[in-house]
Amino acid sequence: MTQWERLQQLDTVYSQRAFDLYNGDEFPMEVRHYLAHWIEGQDWERASRDSSQAAFLFQVLLENLDNQFSRFVQEKESFLLQRNFRRYKQNFQVSVLPLWICEALKLLNMLNKNYTARLKNFLSDISAMLDAADVLHSALINEELVEWKRRQQKSCIGAPDDTSLEHLEKWFTQIIECMFQLQKFLQKLDELVGKMTYENDPIPVRKPPLKIRVDTLLTHLIKSSFVVETQPSMPQGRGLLVLRTNVQFSVKVRLLYKVPELNHVMKVTVSIDKFRKFNVLGTLSKALNMAESMNGGLSVPLEVRHLFLIEKKISVKLEHSIDLPTSSLPVVVISNSSQQQSAWASVLWFNMLCPDPKNIKFFETSPAATWPQFGEMLSWQFLSCGKRGLDNDQLETLAIKLFGKQQSYDNCKISWTKFSKENLPDTNFTLWVWLDGILNLVKLYLSDLWSDGSIMGFISKGKERLLLKKKQNGTFLLRFSESIKDGGITFSWVQYANDATPSVQTVKPFTSTDLKQIALPDILCNFRIMVAENIPVNPLCYLYPNTPKDQAFGKYYSEKTGEENPYLKYLKTKLVFVSKE
């Protein structure tokens, strides 16, 4: 039995103390768990005395992390474990790089013996460190930062992706700090040459290329560390990236290099692509201020008014240094609130399908979306509006509506035209207009019911009848209307005739106009139909499949009784919907 296995069998008090040692990124518990066999087979005491052995074990550790990551991919283990192990490797590399620099600094102070040989070794060490920094730089900018930007792009249209910047800020800051340290070392070498040089001195020959590499790497890192943290949006807008002329909007930028001492010399300015015919009026310049940031980074909210733009570029100037440009995702500019619906459709389509934010000709030949892409995007919209996405049954109902009954919908595609231009069969509105009306209805009036699963939502009439006819009398379900342009919800229930023959009844859909007057739970509570002798009866008893109506909706009823409502004993009226059977 390994030490790690024995550790997990300790009493809770003792095991918790041990687990606290691994509660962080310095040496995460997952690494200790999956590499337990290798870790316990190494001579760490020797490594603590022998730097070459320590370096060797460090390289083997990185290889083991790569191997474990590959196993996760092959065995289709948790997606989070895959990402975490790649991040752990990068964290280890970033944390060890400063230690190498410290060792190099020690070497600089032992130069009095075998001066030339040691000096060459020192320069070689700097070159090796730059090689390692190149690898980290590539992983950080070409992988991690690119993935973060794609996650942010999807989050703009409702995806529940993690868009926090803490890890990226940590990595950028540490690597940039290391590059500044290397700059200082190279400056010290210049001072050394000024005081003493000799024939075959390696510094004049080998230092300039190293300085170029450090400066180039440092410049690229700093430029890449300036990002748009929050994309442009209006205070009362439909969503991110939809802006209206003459209405204030804001955008938040952030420098991922955490350097408080530079606050007073860093300013953000707004500029527009010179090929775009737009003007920006308002606050066009603002200093990056640590005090305005909740997370300690250099970030600033920019608020700009009276805009006419489609693409926004922002730059930061470090005085007497370099410009740091960054761009937001493309925005859609409207002049009237009636255009918000079509504008948001464009934002959804672009950010769902186009990972290149600079592809401004995307809609000239807009690609079709596969059903998995389209269904996921729709689910994000309901998640944003009602805190619950679409389940498999709801997605299948929509897929059947669009493509007919299929064995699999993975290869089915929907075009931009079919989504936003062509009317649905037997209607005078498009697919997006219909779905957007439902989304607005959910957001404004049905979010609680949608969130708790009370609304079945999307179900065909045929399947609705099939389900209800198998249930007890008075069982009902809630679904969205397919015939209402601006969003409607209806309910159907099963009732049995004297000969036990079941029939399914459906009420006329309720729209936002109705729900403004009476909340849907109150409609369900007080709904009546007129039966024989004009007696009003509530036919709704059980929410499908078998939940008593008051149990499902009682917590949402607005009416108060008894002592809770002192006016009830005087006022015996209430507003109800009544339907003839």
Side-chain angles (χ1 to χ4, degrees):
M1 185 180 295
T2 65
Q3 294 176 359
W4 186 245
E5 290 172 336
R6 292 199 299 271
L7 182 64
Q8 297 176 62
Q9 296 179 0
L10 292 175
D11 292 339
T12 303
V13 175
Y14 301 106
S15 61
Q16 184 60 47
R17 292 179 183 176
F19 291 155
D20 287 343
L21 296 173
Y22 301 101
N23 186 21
D25 280 351
E26 292 77 11
F27 200 85
M29 185 178 294
E30 291 97 324
V31 175
R32 180 64 177 91
H33 177 75
Y34 285 97
L35 303 186
H37 181 76
W38 177 81
I39 290 173
E40 295 174 19
Q42 309 310 310
D43 187 352
W44 297 106
E45 184 176 356
R46 175 190 168 191
S48 67
R49 302 190 304 268
D50 186 343
S51 60
S52 62
Q53 178 67 9
F56 170 75
L57 289 181
F58 177 69
Q59 291 300 323
V60 176
L61 170 64
L62 298 181
E63 292 175 6
N64 278 319
L65 291 173
D66 280 338
N67 293 337
Q68 186 62 47
F69 174 83
S70 299
R71 281 194 287 272
F72 286 146
V73 174
Q74 294 171 2
E75 298 168 4
K76 297 183 179 179
E77 286 279 348
S78 167
F79 175 71
L80 290 178
L81 285 173
Q82 296 177 31
R83 287 188 55 78
N84 286 346
F85 263 69
R86 183 168 63 179
R87 179 166 57 84
Y88 295 153
K89 177 184 176 182
Q90 292 168 344
N91 280 350
F92 287 151
Q93 289 174 313
V94 170
S95 61
V96 168
L97 186 60
L99 298 179
W100 289 357
I101 293 178
C102 292
E103 289 297 321
L105 184 59
K106 292 179 183 176
L107 186 61
L108 185 62
N109 299 324
M110 292 161 58
L111 286 175
N112 56 349
K113 184 178 181 181
N114 299 325
Y115 178 81
T116 300
R118 289 181 176 273
L119 189 56
K120 288 181 179 180
N121 288 339
F122 173 70
L123 294 170
S124 297
D125 286 343
I126 291 181
S127 181
M129 283 184 276
L130 287 173
D131 291 339
D134 273 329
V135 173
L136 291 175
H137 159 270
S138 178
L140 180 58
I141 294 175
N142 299 331
E143 295 179 25
E144 293 295 329
L145 188 59
V146 169
E147 288 183 11
W148 175 84
K149 287 183 177 180
R150 182 55 181 156
R151 290 199 304 274
Q152 187 199 45
Q153 186 179 13
K154 293 192 296 182
S155 74
C156 288
I157 56 173
D161 286 359
D162 179 15
T163 58
S164 61
L165 285 166
E166 282 67 29
H167 282 296
L168 284 174
E169 182 181 72
K170 174 183 177 183
W171 295 337
F172 269 109
T173 298
Q174 291 190 0
I175 297 175
I176 291 173
E177 281 297 316
C178 289
M179 292 303 99
F180 276 128
Q181 288 296 323
L182 287 178
Q183 272 192 338
K184 292 179 181 178
F185 292 161
L186 295 176
Q187 290 172 359
K188 290 294 183 182
L189 291 180
D190 281 337
E191 296 175 7
L192 188 62
V193 170
K195 295 178 181 178
M196 179 192 70
T197 188
Y198 57 96
E199 188 177 357
N200 298 324
D201 186 347
I203 295 177
V205 175
R206 297 181 59 179
K207 195 218 74 170
L210 294 177
K211 184 178 186 305
I212 291 174
R213 288 186 65 187
V214 171
D215 292 346
T216 301
L217 193 59
L218 184 56
T219 298
H220 194 208
L221 282 165
I222 293 178
K223 284 187 174 182
S224 300
S225 70
F226 188 52
V227 298
V228 177
E229 182 175 9
T230 303
Q231 294 292 329
S233 66
M234 298 184 295
Q236 303 299 324
R238 172 64 189 271
L240 297 172
L241 305 174
V242 176
L243 307 180
R244 182 177 170 184
T245 54
N246 300 313
V247 175
Q248 177 177 312
F249 78 91
S250 64
V251 58
K252 189 175 183 181
V253 293
R254 181 167 172 182
L255 184 69
L256 298 177
Y257 175 34
K258 197 172 181 179
V259 277
E261 63 272 16
L262 293 182
N263 279 357
H264 64 290
V265 295
M266 302 185 70
K267 291 185 177 180
V268 176
T269 58
V270 179
S271 59
I272 305 304
D273 190 304
K274 62 184 178 181
F275 299 108
R276 303 292 173 188
K277 297 180 179 180
F278 297 108
N279 297 318
V280 177
L281 304 177
T283 305
L284 303 183
S285 178
K286 192 169 185 179
L288 284 170
N289 191 339
M290 182 71 72
E292 293 188 26
S293 174
M294 299 298 293
N295 50 35
L298 286 172
S299 61
V300 59
L302 283 181
E303 291 192 347
V304 186
R305 300 186 65 181
H306 307 302
L307 68 153
F308 301 86
L309 75 144
I310 194 169
E311 183 178 16
K312 178 170 179 49
K313 289 191 174 180
I314 306 169
S315 65
V316 164
K317 285 190 175 182
L318 284 79
E319 288 187 7
H320 311 299
S321 186
I322 56 175
D323 284 346
L324 308 180
T326 189
S327 296
S328 74
L329 293 167
V331 299
V332 179
V333 179
I334 61 176
S335 58
N336 190 286
S337 58
S338 64
Q339 300 169 319
Q340 287 211 28
Q341 188 176 62
S342 59
W344 184 239
S346 300
V347 170
L348 291 177
W349 203 260
F350 180 90
N351 290 287
M352 172 177 58
L353 296 177
C354 185
D356 179 12
K358 295 184 179 180
N359 183 5
I360 59 177
K361 296 184 178 181
F362 171 81
F363 283 102
E364 292 182 6
T365 55
S366 177
T370 64
W371 171 248
Q373 290 174 317
F374 186 74
E376 184 180 45
M377 182 271 287
L378 286 185
S379 186
W380 293 341
Q381 304 316 298
F382 281 89
L383 181 65
S384 298
C385 291
K387 301 177 184 177
R388 180 169 67 93
L390 299 175
D391 60 30
N392 290 334
D393 290 335
Q394 293 162 337
L395 287 169
E396 184 180 23
T397 300
L398 288 170
I400 293 173
K401 183 177 180 66
L402 291 174
F403 311 111
K405 187 67 176 178
Q406 304 275 346
Q407 189 71 24
S408 172
Y409 300 94
D410 289 351
N411 294 324
C412 293
K413 294 185 177 181
I414 180 170
S415 67
W416 164 246
T417 300
K418 190 172 183 180
F419 172 62
S420 64
K421 304 294 183 183
E422 296 176 353
N423 288 342
L424 291 169
D426 302 322
T427 69
N428 63 347
F429 48 84
T430 66
L431 173 63
W432 170 239
V433 168
W434 175 60
L435 290 170
D436 191 51
I438 292 172
L439 286 165
N440 280 328
L441 201 69
V442 169
K443 182 178 181 180
L444 296 175
Y445 305 107
L446 305 173
S447 59
D448 288 337
L449 300 184
W450 176 259
S451 178
D452 68 16
S454 298
I455 300 175
M456 190 169 292
F458 297 103
I459 180 173
S460 67
K461 294 180 181 179
K463 187 173 181 180
E464 174 189 67
R465 290 183 172 85
L466 184 64
L467 293 179
L468 290 176
K469 285 184 176 181
K470 296 179 181 179
K471 308 305 292 185
Q472 59 187 316
N473 186 66
T475 301
F476 67 99
L477 58 79
L478 303 171
R479 64 174 175 84
F480 298 124
S481 170
E482 297 184 3
S483 60
I484 303 296
K485 176 180 179 181
D486 296 322
I489 188 166
T490 185
F491 49 82
S492 302
W493 68 93
V494 62
Q495 63 184 33
Y496 290 83
N498 293 332
D499 62 356
T501 302
S503 63
V504 174
Q505 307 296 324
T506 302
V507 75
K508 180 182 177 181
F510 299 96
T511 65
S512 59
T513 302
D514 302 317
L515 299 180
K516 282 180 182 177
Q517 300 177 64
I518 312 178
L520 185 58
D522 291 333
I523 292 175
L524 298 173
C525 176
N526 300 319
F527 179 73
R528 299 289 188 271
I529 60 173
M530 304 301 293
V531 296
E533 299 179 358
N534 285 333
I535 300 175
V537 173
N538 190 327
L540 310 178
C541 301
Y542 305 97
L543 178 66
Y544 184 90
N546 53 16
T547 305
K549 178 186 63 179
D550 291 342
Q551 179 181 327
F553 301 102
K555 60 184 175 182
Y556 302 120
Y557 294 160
S558 62
E559 290 187 343
K560 296 182 179 181
T561 60
E563 295 180 358
E564 295 180 44
N565 190 343
Y567 301 100
L568 191 61
K569 57 185 178 181
Y570 301 110
L571 183 64
K572 294 292 185 179
T573 60
K574 56 187 173 185
L575 187 61
V576 300
F577 280 89
V578 179
S579 175
K580 290 185 178 180
E581 186 177 16

